[in-house]
Amino acid sequence: MFAVPCRLCPATSLNVSPGCHSGAVAGFGLVRRSPGLAALLAAQTISPLGDAMATTALILYVQRTTGSATAVGLLLFAQAIPPLAAPFAGVIADRFSPGRLLAVGWLTQAVLAGLVALLLPPLGALLVVVFLLALVDTPLSAAVGRCIPAVVADDDLVAANALRSGVWELGTVLGPPLAGLLFAVSGTRLVLGVDALTFLAVIPLALRLPTLKQDTKGRSQPSFFRDARDGLAFIRHTPYILAVAVGFWVVVLFSAPDDLILPFLATVTFKAGPVAVGVLLAAASAGLLAGLLLVSPVGRRLGVTGAIVAGFAVMATGNLLTAAAPWLMAAFAAQALRGLAIPLADSHVTTYLQRTTPPAMLGRVLANVYGGVGVAAAVGYLLGGPVLDATSPRIAFVIVGCGGLAGAAVTAILLRRRSRAGAAGPGS
């Protein structure tokens, strides 16, 4: 995601550049060519950093004040529920200019985060505000995804999506340890205050984004609910998008619990301490950052849909190898392998949706597909705990690994069937 070619040359592109080259310089060249992308990337670095800091601080705060794991679980559940509103969030993303929507959304989040910092409400009210913060954020990611094709050339889409995911991950990697340090020094209020300031800092960046034209063709605008229904219907009746979406959801359903299982693998299986837990939890992020270098060359070799299936399969294989790891560092290497494939799959999924979806429908499709990802992750967390309690860390990793491979196989089978039927989409 950071080291990408200056011009992406997928096999199916009509604008293949024979002089394609890779490396960090080329990635920064893409940013220089597109001021709009530069603004998006800056915002996608700053805002997730604040969000990761706030989430960590709230977990520590709830743990300290209630001493209840159930209360912490409710906090995370409140953050996970809003993607259920994705069909309506997608309509908002399609109906409003991305820059203005992002500015209003970030301002609203700044106000909510500031109120929590000032008041530190009791658990019930805190859960409501956390839910509202996540609800406001739901259409914003779709708005960013909708804006990227407007600020870069088609051949640069994979590179731009990879850069976006990379800087987002950088914020989520740096946020928790920074929040822990500030929490230890000054408590919850300071961290939440910093989160509010990060929202305010990115508003000017949103206002620099282009205004996308709405194609109404002289007709009155459909109702809000009809637009939401049409967004869901488009995914359901577009075989290739449905195949990618269903495969993605299945893979996430099974891969999400790995972060739940890893602490038990470290402490129960390997008889290690908290430092080992932190090492294992950081492994996938380390692999993800290394995988940024592979997104473009592997994508050019495999094509967009081939890269998606390969990414899903490698993620699942990493979890299976974790189940078989004889030592802690072997488990670290297996999780790093899983992380290596995350940017490959995610950036190509986003690119595929951007290339195969009409611009007027793109916000809804992105919101619905990634909203489904959020729901799948939440369900995975809910199911992962009882499965782990009933089995063991190694068996649980076998289950999630096999499930992830099943998701990759389902995606490949559905895509191949549609290809044989003559319905192949771009990048297949």
Side-chain angles (χ1 to χ4, degrees):
M1 295 175 186
F2 286 113
V4 291
C6 63
R7 295 291 289 174
L8 178 69
C9 306
T12 54
S13 173
L14 299 179
N15 300 307
V16 176
S17 169
C20 184
H21 60 280
S22 62
V25 174
F28 288 118
L30 172 58
V31 173
R32 286 198 303 270
R33 290 199 305 276
S34 174
L37 178 63
L40 280 174
L41 294 180
Q44 294 286 277
T45 304
I46 298 169
S47 182
L49 175 66
D51 289 345
M53 291 174 62
T55 298
T56 303
L58 287 175
I59 289 173
L60 293 171
Y61 170 74
V62 171
Q63 183 185 39
R64 175 178 291 184
T65 55
T66 68
S68 168
T70 300
V72 175
L74 287 173
L75 177 72
L76 296 176
F77 186 72
Q79 285 185 321
I81 284 298
L84 288 173
F88 303 105
V91 177
I92 295 172
D94 277 332
R95 287 197 175 190
F96 295 94
S97 168
R100 292 182 180 178
L101 178 60
L102 289 168
V104 172
W106 286 332
L107 179 60
T108 304
Q109 289 178 304
V111 172
L112 291 172
L115 286 174
V116 175
L118 290 173
L119 302 177
L120 280 182
L123 181 62
L126 179 62
L127 294 178
V128 172
V129 178
V130 167
F131 170 82
L132 291 176
L133 276 165
L135 184 65
V136 172
D137 188 64
T138 304
L140 303 188
S141 181
V144 173
R146 180 172 174 246
C147 196
I148 287 178
V151 298
V152 301
D154 180 76
D155 284 347
D156 285 324
L157 270 180
V158 172
N161 287 319
L163 279 166
R164 175 201 175 189
S165 299
V167 298
W168 180 284
E169 184 67 20
L170 184 63
T172 60
V173 168
L174 297 177
L178 183 57
L181 178 62
L182 292 177
F183 184 90
V185 173
S186 300
T188 311
R189 282 192 168 90
L190 176 61
V191 182
L192 295 176
V194 171
D195 184 36
L197 290 176
T198 62
F199 287 124
L200 294 176
V202 294
I203 291 174
L205 299 174
L207 297 177
R208 296 174 55 189
L209 298 175
T211 300
L212 303 186
K213 296 180 180 180
Q214 295 292 111
D215 183 16
T216 59
K217 298 182 180 180
R219 294 175 295 179
S220 60
Q221 198 170 47
S223 71
F224 192 86
F225 289 96
R226 180 176 176 181
D227 267 354
R229 183 192 64 191
D230 289 347
L232 292 170
F234 181 84
I235 295 175
R236 188 170 65 251
H237 297 304
T238 307
Y240 262 86
I241 290 179
L242 182 62
V244 170
V246 169
F248 202 5
W249 297 337
V250 173
V251 169
V252 171
L253 172 67
F254 283 98
S255 65
D258 51 18
D259 287 341
L260 177 67
I261 304 169
L262 282 172
F264 292 89
L265 184 73
T267 57
V268 176
T269 303
F270 295 122
K271 310 299 182 184
V275 174
V277 173
V279 168
L280 281 184
L281 289 174
S285 294
L288 188 151
L289 294 175
L292 308 178
L293 299 167
L294 303 177
V295 171
S296 294
V298 174
R300 288 196 306 273
R301 185 175 296 273
L302 299 180
V304 175
T305 53
I308 292 170
V309 174
F312 290 168
V314 174
M315 289 164 59
T317 301
N319 280 332
L320 282 176
L321 292 175
T322 303
W327 314 289
L328 180 68
M329 290 312 298
F332 179 92
Q335 283 297 297
L337 175 66
R338 179 179 76 87
L340 207 67
I342 292 173
L344 179 68
D346 183 59
S347 60
H348 282 90
V349 167
T350 304
T351 299
Y352 185 82
L353 297 177
Q354 290 165 338
R355 285 179 172 167
T356 56
T357 305
M361 188 72 68
L362 183 56
R364 279 166 282 179
V365 170
L366 288 169
N368 288 331
V369 171
Y370 280 93
V373 167
V375 173
V379 174
Y381 284 129
L382 289 176
L383 297 178
V387 169
L388 180 59
D389 287 338
T391 57
S392 71
R394 291 194 188 278
I395 292 176
F397 264 118
V398 170
I399 293 171
V400 299
C402 290
L405 285 178
V410 166
T411 306
I413 292 169
L414 290 176
L415 289 173
R416 178 165 293 189
R417 283 181 178 176
R418 296 303 172 183
S419 179
R420 288 177 176 175
S428 59

mmCIF file with all atom_site columns, all heavy atoms in Angstrom, residues 165-183:
data_model
loop_
_atom_site.group_PDB
_atom_site.id
_atom_site.type_symbol
_atom_site.label_atom_id
_atom_site.label_alt_id
_atom_site.label_comp_id
_atom_site.label_asym_id
_atom_site.label_entity_id
_atom_site.label_seq_id
_atom_site.pdbx_PDB_ins_code
_atom_site.Cartn_x
_atom_site.Cartn_y
_atom_site.Cartn_z
_atom_site.occupancy
_atom_site.B_iso_or_equiv
_atom_site.pdbx_formal_charge
_atom_site.auth_seq_id
_atom_site.auth_comp_id
_atom_site.auth_asym_id
_atom_site.auth_atom_id
_atom_site.pdbx_PDB_model_num
ATOM 1   N N   . SER A 1 165 ? -5.751  1.951  2.591  1.00 0.00 ? 165 SER A N   1
ATOM 2   C CA  . SER A 1 165 ? -5.777  0.928  3.635  1.00 0.00 ? 165 SER A CA  1
ATOM 3   C C   . SER A 1 165 ? -4.506  0.945  4.470  1.00 0.00 ? 165 SER A C   1
ATOM 4   O O   . SER A 1 165 ? -4.533  0.702  5.672  1.00 0.00 ? 165 SER A O   1
ATOM 5   C CB  . SER A 1 165 ? -5.979  -0.455 3.012  1.00 0.00 ? 165 SER A CB  1
ATOM 6   O OG  . SER A 1 165 ? -7.207  -0.517 2.330  1.00 0.00 ? 165 SER A OG  1
ATOM 7   N N   . GLY A 1 166 ? -3.373  1.225  3.809  1.00 0.00 ? 166 GLY A N   1
ATOM 8   C CA  . GLY A 1 166 ? -2.105  1.237  4.525  1.00 0.00 ? 166 GLY A CA  1
ATOM 9   C C   . GLY A 1 166 ? -2.015  2.334  5.563  1.00 0.00 ? 166 GLY A C   1
ATOM 10  O O   . GLY A 1 166 ? -1.599  2.105  6.699  1.00 0.00 ? 166 GLY A O   1
ATOM 11  N N   . VAL A 1 167 ? -2.412  3.554  5.181  1.00 0.00 ? 167 VAL A N   1
ATOM 12  C CA  . VAL A 1 167 ? -2.323  4.652  6.147  1.00 0.00 ? 167 VAL A CA  1
ATOM 13  C C   . VAL A 1 167 ? -3.357  4.479  7.251  1.00 0.00 ? 167 VAL A C   1
ATOM 14  O O   . VAL A 1 167 ? -3.132  4.881  8.399  1.00 0.00 ? 167 VAL A O   1
ATOM 15  C CB  . VAL A 1 167 ? -2.476  6.026  5.443  1.00 0.00 ? 167 VAL A CB  1
ATOM 16  C CG1 . VAL A 1 167 ? -1.348  6.234  4.453  1.00 0.00 ? 167 VAL A CG1 1
ATOM 17  C CG2 . VAL A 1 167 ? -3.824  6.173  4.752  1.00 0.00 ? 167 VAL A CG2 1
ATOM 18  N N   . TRP A 1 168 ? -4.492  3.878  6.912  1.00 0.00 ? 168 TRP A N   1
ATOM 19  C CA  . TRP A 1 168 ? -5.494  3.569  7.950  1.00 0.00 ? 168 TRP A CA  1
ATOM 20  C C   . TRP A 1 168 ? -4.899  2.602  8.973  1.00 0.00 ? 168 TRP A C   1
ATOM 21  O O   . TRP A 1 168 ? -5.029  2.804  10.185 1.00 0.00 ? 168 TRP A O   1
ATOM 22  C CB  . TRP A 1 168 ? -6.731  2.952  7.301  1.00 0.00 ? 168 TRP A CB  1
ATOM 23  C CG  . TRP A 1 168 ? -7.826  2.595  8.264  1.00 0.00 ? 168 TRP A CG  1
ATOM 24  C CD1 . TRP A 1 168 ? -7.865  1.529  9.111  1.00 0.00 ? 168 TRP A CD1 1
ATOM 25  C CD2 . TRP A 1 168 ? -9.027  3.331  8.506  1.00 0.00 ? 168 TRP A CD2 1
ATOM 26  N NE1 . TRP A 1 168 ? -9.017  1.532  9.848  1.00 0.00 ? 168 TRP A NE1 1
ATOM 27  C CE2 . TRP A 1 168 ? -9.751  2.618  9.500  1.00 0.00 ? 168 TRP A CE2 1
ATOM 28  C CE3 . TRP A 1 168 ? -9.577  4.482  7.956  1.00 0.00 ? 168 TRP A CE3 1
ATOM 29  C CZ2 . TRP A 1 168 ? -10.989 3.054  9.959  1.00 0.00 ? 168 TRP A CZ2 1
ATOM 30  C CZ3 . TRP A 1 168 ? -10.810 4.913  8.414  1.00 0.00 ? 168 TRP A CZ3 1
ATOM 31  C CH2 . TRP A 1 168 ? -11.497 4.207  9.402  1.00 0.00 ? 168 TRP A CH2 1
ATOM 32  N N   . GLU A 1 169 ? -4.231  1.567  8.493  1.00 0.00 ? 169 GLU A N   1
ATOM 33  C CA  . GLU A 1 169 ? -3.634  0.585  9.400  1.00 0.00 ? 169 GLU A CA  1
ATOM 34  C C   . GLU A 1 169 ? -2.538  1.216  10.247 1.00 0.00 ? 169 GLU A C   1
ATOM 35  O O   . GLU A 1 169 ? -2.362  0.874  11.412 1.00 0.00 ? 169 GLU A O   1
ATOM 36  C CB  . GLU A 1 169 ? -3.071  -0.591 8.600  1.00 0.00 ? 169 GLU A CB  1
ATOM 37  C CG  . GLU A 1 169 ? -2.509  -1.717 9.446  1.00 0.00 ? 169 GLU A CG  1
ATOM 38  C CD  . GLU A 1 169 ? -3.574  -2.446 10.243 1.00 0.00 ? 169 GLU A CD  1
ATOM 39  O OE1 . GLU A 1 169 ? -4.771  -2.354 9.872  1.00 0.00 ? 169 GLU A OE1 1
ATOM 40  O OE2 . GLU A 1 169 ? -3.220  -3.109 11.234 1.00 0.00 ? 169 GLU A OE2 1
ATOM 41  N N   . LEU A 1 170 ? -1.806  2.158  9.663  1.00 0.00 ? 170 LEU A N   1
ATOM 42  C CA  . LEU A 1 170 ? -0.751  2.827  10.417 1.00 0.00 ? 170 LEU A CA  1
ATOM 43  C C   . LEU A 1 170 ? -1.342  3.535  11.633 1.00 0.00 ? 170 LEU A C   1
ATOM 44  O O   . LEU A 1 170 ? -0.789  3.476  12.736 1.00 0.00 ? 170 LEU A O   1
ATOM 45  C CB  . LEU A 1 170 ? -0.031  3.841  9.520  1.00 0.00 ? 170 LEU A CB  1
ATOM 46  C CG  . LEU A 1 170 ? 1.166   4.567  10.136 1.00 0.00 ? 170 LEU A CG  1
ATOM 47  C CD1 . LEU A 1 170 ? 2.267   3.579  10.492 1.00 0.00 ? 170 LEU A CD1 1
ATOM 48  C CD2 . LEU A 1 170 ? 1.686   5.633  9.183  1.00 0.00 ? 170 LEU A CD2 1
ATOM 49  N N   . GLY A 1 171 ? -2.489  4.194  11.437 1.00 0.00 ? 171 GLY A N   1
ATOM 50  C CA  . GLY A 1 171 ? -3.146  4.855  12.560 1.00 0.00 ? 171 GLY A CA  1
ATOM 51  C C   . GLY A 1 171 ? -3.611  3.874  13.620 1.00 0.00 ? 171 GLY A C   1
ATOM 52  O O   . GLY A 1 171 ? -3.464  4.122  14.819 1.00 0.00 ? 171 GLY A O   1
ATOM 53  N N   . THR A 1 172 ? -4.150  2.728  13.191 1.00 0.00 ? 172 THR A N   1
ATOM 54  C CA  . THR A 1 172 ? -4.648  1.760  14.169 1.00 0.00 ? 172 THR A CA  1
ATOM 55  C C   . THR A 1 172 ? -3.508  1.031  14.887 1.00 0.00 ? 172 THR A C   1
ATOM 56  O O   . THR A 1 172 ? -3.706  0.533  15.988 1.00 0.00 ? 172 THR A O   1
ATOM 57  C CB  . THR A 1 172 ? -5.561  0.726  13.477 1.00 0.00 ? 172 THR A CB  1
ATOM 58  O OG1 . THR A 1 172 ? -4.826  0.032  12.463 1.00 0.00 ? 172 THR A OG1 1
ATOM 59  C CG2 . THR A 1 172 ? -6.764  1.398  12.828 1.00 0.00 ? 172 THR A CG2 1
ATOM 60  N N   . VAL A 1 173 ? -2.328  0.965  14.257 1.00 0.00 ? 173 VAL A N   1
ATOM 61  C CA  . VAL A 1 173 ? -1.182  0.348  14.918 1.00 0.00 ? 173 VAL A CA  1
ATOM 62  C C   . VAL A 1 173 ? -0.590  1.280  15.970 1.00 0.00 ? 173 VAL A C   1
ATOM 63  O O   . VAL A 1 173 ? -0.239  0.871  17.080 1.00 0.00 ? 173 VAL A O   1
ATOM 64  C CB  . VAL A 1 173 ? -0.105  -0.046 13.881 1.00 0.00 ? 173 VAL A CB  1
ATOM 65  C CG1 . VAL A 1 173 ? 1.202   -0.423 14.563 1.00 0.00 ? 173 VAL A CG1 1
ATOM 66  C CG2 . VAL A 1 173 ? -0.593  -1.211 13.035 1.00 0.00 ? 173 VAL A CG2 1
ATOM 67  N N   . LEU A 1 174 ? -0.484  2.569  15.634 1.00 0.00 ? 174 LEU A N   1
ATOM 68  C CA  . LEU A 1 174 ? 0.136   3.533  16.552 1.00 0.00 ? 174 LEU A CA  1
ATOM 69  C C   . LEU A 1 174 ? -0.809  3.976  17.665 1.00 0.00 ? 174 LEU A C   1
ATOM 70  O O   . LEU A 1 174 ? -0.369  4.352  18.746 1.00 0.00 ? 174 LEU A O   1
ATOM 71  C CB  . LEU A 1 174 ? 0.607   4.762  15.772 1.00 0.00 ? 174 LEU A CB  1
ATOM 72  C CG  . LEU A 1 174 ? 1.698   4.535  14.721 1.00 0.00 ? 174 LEU A CG  1
ATOM 73  C CD1 . LEU A 1 174 ? 1.993   5.830  13.983 1.00 0.00 ? 174 LEU A CD1 1
ATOM 74  C CD2 . LEU A 1 174 ? 2.964   3.990  15.363 1.00 0.00 ? 174 LEU A CD2 1
ATOM 75  N N   . GLY A 1 175 ? -2.126  3.933  17.400 1.00 0.00 ? 175 GLY A N   1
ATOM 76  C CA  . GLY A 1 175 ? -3.086  4.485  18.350 1.00 0.00 ? 175 GLY A CA  1
ATOM 77  C C   . GLY A 1 175 ? -3.126  3.818  19.714 1.00 0.00 ? 175 GLY A C   1
ATOM 78  O O   . GLY A 1 175 ? -3.032  4.498  20.745 1.00 0.00 ? 175 GLY A O   1
ATOM 79  N N   . PRO A 1 176 ? -3.272  2.470  19.795 1.00 0.00 ? 176 PRO A N   1
ATOM 80  C CA  . PRO A 1 176 ? -3.391  1.832  21.109 1.00 0.00 ? 176 PRO A CA  1
ATOM 81  C C   . PRO A 1 176 ? -2.222  2.070  22.054 1.00 0.00 ? 176 PRO A C   1
ATOM 82  O O   . PRO A 1 176 ? -2.438  2.430  23.221 1.00 0.00 ? 176 PRO A O   1
ATOM 83  C CB  . PRO A 1 176 ? -3.565  0.350  20.750 1.00 0.00 ? 176 PRO A CB  1
ATOM 84  C CG  . PRO A 1 176 ? -4.209  0.366  19.408 1.00 0.00 ? 176 PRO A CG  1
ATOM 85  C CD  . PRO A 1 176 ? -3.579  1.530  18.702 1.00 0.00 ? 176 PRO A CD  1
ATOM 86  N N   . PRO A 1 177 ? -0.948  1.884  21.626 1.00 0.00 ? 177 PRO A N   1
ATOM 87  C CA  . PRO A 1 177 ? 0.133   2.150  22.595 1.00 0.00 ? 177 PRO A CA  1
ATOM 88  C C   . PRO A 1 177 ? 0.206   3.614  23.014 1.00 0.00 ? 177 PRO A C   1
ATOM 89  O O   . PRO A 1 177 ? 0.503   3.913  24.180 1.00 0.00 ? 177 PRO A O   1
ATOM 90  C CB  . PRO A 1 177 ? 1.402   1.722  21.845 1.00 0.00 ? 177 PRO A CB  1
ATOM 91  C CG  . PRO A 1 177 ? 1.033   1.684  20.412 1.00 0.00 ? 177 PRO A CG  1
ATOM 92  C CD  . PRO A 1 177 ? -0.411  1.345  20.361 1.00 0.00 ? 177 PRO A CD  1
ATOM 93  N N   . LEU A 1 178 ? -0.084  4.529  22.082 1.00 0.00 ? 178 LEU A N   1
ATOM 94  C CA  . LEU A 1 178 ? -0.079  5.946  22.435 1.00 0.00 ? 178 LEU A CA  1
ATOM 95  C C   . LEU A 1 178 ? -1.189  6.255  23.428 1.00 0.00 ? 178 LEU A C   1
ATOM 96  O O   . LEU A 1 178 ? -0.994  7.000  24.400 1.00 0.00 ? 178 LEU A O   1
ATOM 97  C CB  . LEU A 1 178 ? -0.240  6.794  21.172 1.00 0.00 ? 178 LEU A CB  1
ATOM 98  C CG  . LEU A 1 178 ? -0.191  8.314  21.342 1.00 0.00 ? 178 LEU A CG  1
ATOM 99  C CD1 . LEU A 1 178 ? 1.110   8.741  22.009 1.00 0.00 ? 178 LEU A CD1 1
ATOM 100 C CD2 . LEU A 1 178 ? -0.356  9.010  19.990 1.00 0.00 ? 178 LEU A CD2 1
ATOM 101 N N   . ALA A 1 179 ? -2.365  5.647  23.216 1.00 0.00 ? 179 ALA A N   1
ATOM 102 C CA  . ALA A 1 179 ? -3.474  5.845  24.146 1.00 0.00 ? 179 ALA A CA  1
ATOM 103 C C   . ALA A 1 179 ? -3.143  5.275  25.519 1.00 0.00 ? 179 ALA A C   1
ATOM 104 O O   . ALA A 1 179 ? -3.465  5.884  26.553 1.00 0.00 ? 179 ALA A O   1
ATOM 105 C CB  . ALA A 1 179 ? -4.736  5.181  23.601 1.00 0.00 ? 179 ALA A CB  1
ATOM 106 N N   . GLY A 1 180 ? -2.501  4.110  25.554 1.00 0.00 ? 180 GLY A N   1
ATOM 107 C CA  . GLY A 1 180 ? -2.123  3.522  26.845 1.00 0.00 ? 180 GLY A CA  1
ATOM 108 C C   . GLY A 1 180 ? -1.174  4.418  27.609 1.00 0.00 ? 180 GLY A C   1
ATOM 109 O O   . GLY A 1 180 ? -1.301  4.579  28.833 1.00 0.00 ? 180 GLY A O   1
ATOM 110 N N   . LEU A 1 181 ? -0.234  5.031  26.903 1.00 0.00 ? 181 LEU A N   1
ATOM 111 C CA  . LEU A 1 181 ? 0.709   5.937  27.553 1.00 0.00 ? 181 LEU A CA  1
ATOM 112 C C   . LEU A 1 181 ? 0.004   7.165  28.108 1.00 0.00 ? 181 LEU A C   1
ATOM 113 O O   . LEU A 1 181 ? 0.204   7.549  29.274 1.00 0.00 ? 181 LEU A O   1
ATOM 114 C CB  . LEU A 1 181 ? 1.795   6.342  26.559 1.00 0.00 ? 181 LEU A CB  1
ATOM 115 C CG  . LEU A 1 181 ? 2.847   7.333  27.059 1.00 0.00 ? 181 LEU A CG  1
ATOM 116 C CD1 . LEU A 1 181 ? 3.634   6.726  28.220 1.00 0.00 ? 181 LEU A CD1 1
ATOM 117 C CD2 . LEU A 1 181 ? 3.784   7.726  25.917 1.00 0.00 ? 181 LEU A CD2 1
ATOM 118 N N   . LEU A 1 182 ? -0.843  7.793  27.287 1.00 0.00 ? 182 LEU A N   1
ATOM 119 C CA  . LEU A 1 182 ? -1.559  8.991  27.742 1.00 0.00 ? 182 LEU A CA  1
ATOM 120 C C   . LEU A 1 182 ? -2.535  8.661  28.861 1.00 0.00 ? 182 LEU A C   1
ATOM 121 O O   . LEU A 1 182 ? -2.721  9.452  29.794 1.00 0.00 ? 182 LEU A O   1
ATOM 122 C CB  . LEU A 1 182 ? -2.300  9.639  26.563 1.00 0.00 ? 182 LEU A CB  1
ATOM 123 C CG  . LEU A 1 182 ? -1.434  10.257 25.467 1.00 0.00 ? 182 LEU A CG  1
ATOM 124 C CD1 . LEU A 1 182 ? -2.310  10.797 24.341 1.00 0.00 ? 182 LEU A CD1 1
ATOM 125 C CD2 . LEU A 1 182 ? -0.566  11.370 26.041 1.00 0.00 ? 182 LEU A CD2 1
ATOM 126 N N   . PHE A 1 183 ? -3.179  7.489  28.770 1.00 0.00 ? 183 PHE A N   1
ATOM 127 C CA  . PHE A 1 183 ? -4.118  7.081  29.817 1.00 0.00 ? 183 PHE A CA  1
ATOM 128 C C   . PHE A 1 183 ? -3.389  6.910  31.147 1.00 0.00 ? 183 PHE A C   1
ATOM 129 O O   . PHE A 1 183 ? -3.894  7.325  32.205 1.00 0.00 ? 183 PHE A O   1
ATOM 130 C CB  . PHE A 1 183 ? -4.792  5.769  29.415 1.00 0.00 ? 183 PHE A CB  1
ATOM 131 C CG  . PHE A 1 183 ? -5.855  5.298  30.370 1.00 0.00 ? 183 PHE A CG  1
ATOM 132 C CD1 . PHE A 1 183 ? -7.174  5.696  30.205 1.00 0.00 ? 183 PHE A CD1 1
ATOM 133 C CD2 . PHE A 1 183 ? -5.540  4.447  31.416 1.00 0.00 ? 183 PHE A CD2 1
ATOM 134 C CE1 . PHE A 1 183 ? -8.153  5.259  31.087 1.00 0.00 ? 183 PHE A CE1 1
ATOM 135 C CE2 . PHE A 1 183 ? -6.519  4.004  32.299 1.00 0.00 ? 183 PHE A CE2 1
ATOM 136 C CZ  . PHE A 1 183 ? -7.831  4.416  32.128 1.00 0.00 ? 183 PHE A CZ  1
#
